Amino acid sequence: MRKCPKCGTELPDEALFCNECGEKLPSPVAEEKKEETSDNKAASESAEKAPEATDAAAEKAADAATDKAPEAKDTVAEKEPETAGAASGMASYTAPVDNSVLAKAQTESKNSNIGMLVVAGGGLIALIVIIVLISSLLGGGYKKPLNQLRNNFNKQSTSVESYLSCFAPGYAVTLYKDVYGIFKSADKDAVKDFDELVADAFEDFYEDAADEYGDDFKLTFEFKSADHLKDRDIKEIEDFYEDLFDSIEDDFDYEDKDTYEDLADELDDYYDISLSKSQVSKLQSAVESFMGKFENFDIQDAYEVKVRFEIKGEDGNDKETVKFYIIKVNGDWFIEPNSFLSAIGAGSLSSNMSSLLWSLY
């Protein structure tokens, strides 16, 4: 048997690490040499003092056995079975040492911080996946524009920007915001008049709906089906918008500075709105940015959806199920307006929805 030089635990001869404290043990060869040297030295000293030591030890052992025998017996009885067995002279059991396990444990202990980072990173990735899934279930992806359309309608929103994002890609919304900002900086009163006209148009629409369905009217919808569009159908939609781009380019030389200066003159003559040279330059940059993205009208994904709409209030309700496209362009999902207008037919609900869309455009 060997003993750990650090904690004194008895270990098998072949042990390389201590079971208790993990201390690395010296090689058996080195330990044997050390023990031989110690034994030889101890033997010499023992030979010189053997008679005296033997007599003293015998007397001391006899006294100790006589004085403490009852106490020792009680102590042994209180200990765990294996400890009591060892104290009563039975051979104690020492578990075999698995050196590979101890070595691995020491390595893992050193790398515990790295391990925690790996676990934390995995947890973060899992959290992100969960958030994405929940967002999808709550109306992300192709469902998003319809959710927004419903929310705008039920809140009776008068925001052109908010409605426009339901039916156009993000860069079209950006163009609207940029042009609106330029005109507002040029003539606040003119923009204020524009805002009032827009608000009046929306309010008239909502009042008509209230007259028909009641003041508490609400729009709801339910997806009946959603199927990925085939490549040939996607190509037809892309061709339509490419033709639209070409027609705008033919009628409007958006890369020519003179085009915007002529526009500024017309705004000044007919609407008393004066644009500075800086504002004319900003307007040109905004339009060129929009046209640059519009020129590359690439549909990344598309669905044909079948949706059941219902407008319901205390005075009446209307239901209609229609099919139309929801497409993804430049990372943005929106309702393809042509398919939407084509899908909704006659009836009060269709009339209301189409009038809303036409007023927006």
Side-chain angles (χ1 to χ4, degrees):
M1 298 291 288
R2 312 177 65 187
K3 283 189 177 181
C4 173
K6 184 175 181 180
C7 68
T9 300
E10 290 190 351
L11 303 166
D13 293 336
E14 68 273 15
L16 299 179
F17 295 90
C18 177
N19 271 341
E20 294 294 324
C21 66
E23 179 74 8
K24 185 176 180 181
L25 305 179
S27 65
V29 176
E31 197 171 60
E32 285 175 4
K33 290 182 179 179
K34 183 177 179 181
E35 287 179 355
E36 287 177 2
T37 303
S38 299
D39 290 345
N40 292 337
K41 183 177 180 181
S44 299
E45 293 176 352
S46 178
E48 295 175 359
K49 301 179 179 179
E52 182 181 351
T54 300
D55 293 341
E59 291 177 2
K60 188 174 182 180
D63 293 340
T66 302
D67 295 338
K68 299 183 179 180
E71 181 182 345
K73 183 178 179 180
D74 293 339
T75 304
V76 170
E78 292 172 0
K79 292 185 178 180
E80 295 294 331
E82 63 270 23
T83 308
S88 62
M90 294 175 61
S92 61
Y93 172 73
T94 304
V97 177
D98 187 342
N99 294 311
S100 63
V101 173
L102 286 170
K104 182 180 179 182
Q106 288 187 333
T107 302
E108 289 179 349
S109 176
K110 293 178 181 178
N111 296 331
S112 60
N113 289 335
I114 297 174
M116 289 175 67
L117 288 174
V118 171
V119 172
L124 179 60
I125 293 172
L127 179 61
I128 292 171
V129 170
I130 290 171
I131 291 173
V132 170
L133 289 174
I134 291 176
S135 299
S136 177
L137 291 173
L138 294 179
Y142 70 91
K143 296 181 180 180
K144 182 178 179 180
L146 270 179
N147 282 325
Q148 185 167 338
L149 177 63
R150 176 198 59 203
N151 294 340
N152 288 345
F153 188 90
N154 291 338
K155 290 188 298 184
Q156 300 187 28
S157 171
T158 60
S159 169
V160 174
E161 179 185 331
S162 184
Y163 270 110
L164 185 60
S165 65
C166 299
F167 294 96
Y171 55 79
V173 180
T174 299
L175 174 64
Y176 172 80
K177 290 167 62 178
D178 289 344
V179 173
Y180 182 90
I182 291 169
F183 279 88
K184 188 173 183 179
S185 63
D187 194 327
K188 291 182 179 180
D189 291 335
V191 172
K192 184 179 179 180
D193 291 340
F194 168 78
D195 289 340
E196 290 176 354
L197 287 173
V198 171
D200 288 343
F202 275 114
E203 287 169 5
D204 288 343
F205 167 76
Y206 293 128
E207 287 176 4
D208 289 342
D211 291 340
E212 187 165 355
Y213 304 109
D215 292 335
D216 62 339
F217 69 88
K218 295 293 180 183
L219 171 67
T220 60
F221 69 88
E222 178 185 357
F223 277 93
K224 294 296 185 179
S225 64
D227 300 310
H228 276 284
L229 282 184
K230 296 179 180 178
D231 291 342
R232 65 173 180 270
D233 296 323
I234 291 176
K235 184 65 168 60
E236 287 182 5
I237 300 173
E238 290 177 337
D239 288 343
F240 170 82
Y241 284 97
E242 286 174 7
D243 291 342
L244 179 60
F245 172 85
D246 291 339
S247 65
I248 295 174
E249 189 177 39
D250 291 340
D251 297 334
F252 182 72
D253 191 359
Y254 67 91
E255 293 181 328
D256 188 353
K257 186 177 180 180
D258 291 340
T259 300
Y260 300 93
E261 291 178 350
D262 292 341
L263 176 61
D265 291 339
E266 291 180 5
L267 289 171
D268 193 14
D269 292 339
Y270 293 99
Y271 300 101
D272 292 329
I273 299 176
S274 299
L275 297 180
S276 66
K277 289 184 179 180
S278 173
Q279 290 165 342
V280 170
S281 179
K282 288 180 180 179
L283 180 61
Q284 181 175 356
S285 297
V287 173
E288 286 182 350
S289 176
F290 167 79
M291 293 296 285
K293 293 181 174 66
F294 188 22
E295 184 177 12
N296 300 308
F297 192 90
D298 179 34
I299 297 177
Q300 297 154 342
D301 201 355
Y303 284 90
E304 181 182 52
V305 297
K306 184 178 181 181
V307 179
R308 177 180 174 274
F309 287 104
E310 180 177 9
I311 299 181
K312 185 177 182 180
E314 58 185 3
D315 295 338
N317 70 293
D318 273 317
K319 302 176 183 178
E320 188 167 351
T321 300
V322 296
K323 283 185 178 181
F324 53 92
Y325 300 146
I326 298 180
I327 62 178
K328 184 180 183 180
V329 176
N330 205 39
D332 301 310
W333 287 98
F334 61 93
I335 301 166
E336 201 285 309
N338 292 304
S339 64
F340 188 76
L341 286 171
S342 299
I344 53 179
S348 298
L349 185 146
S350 298
S351 176
N352 278 298
M353 297 296 288
S354 60
S355 65
L356 172 63
L357 186 57
W358 281 120
S359 64
L360 177 64
Y361 278 88

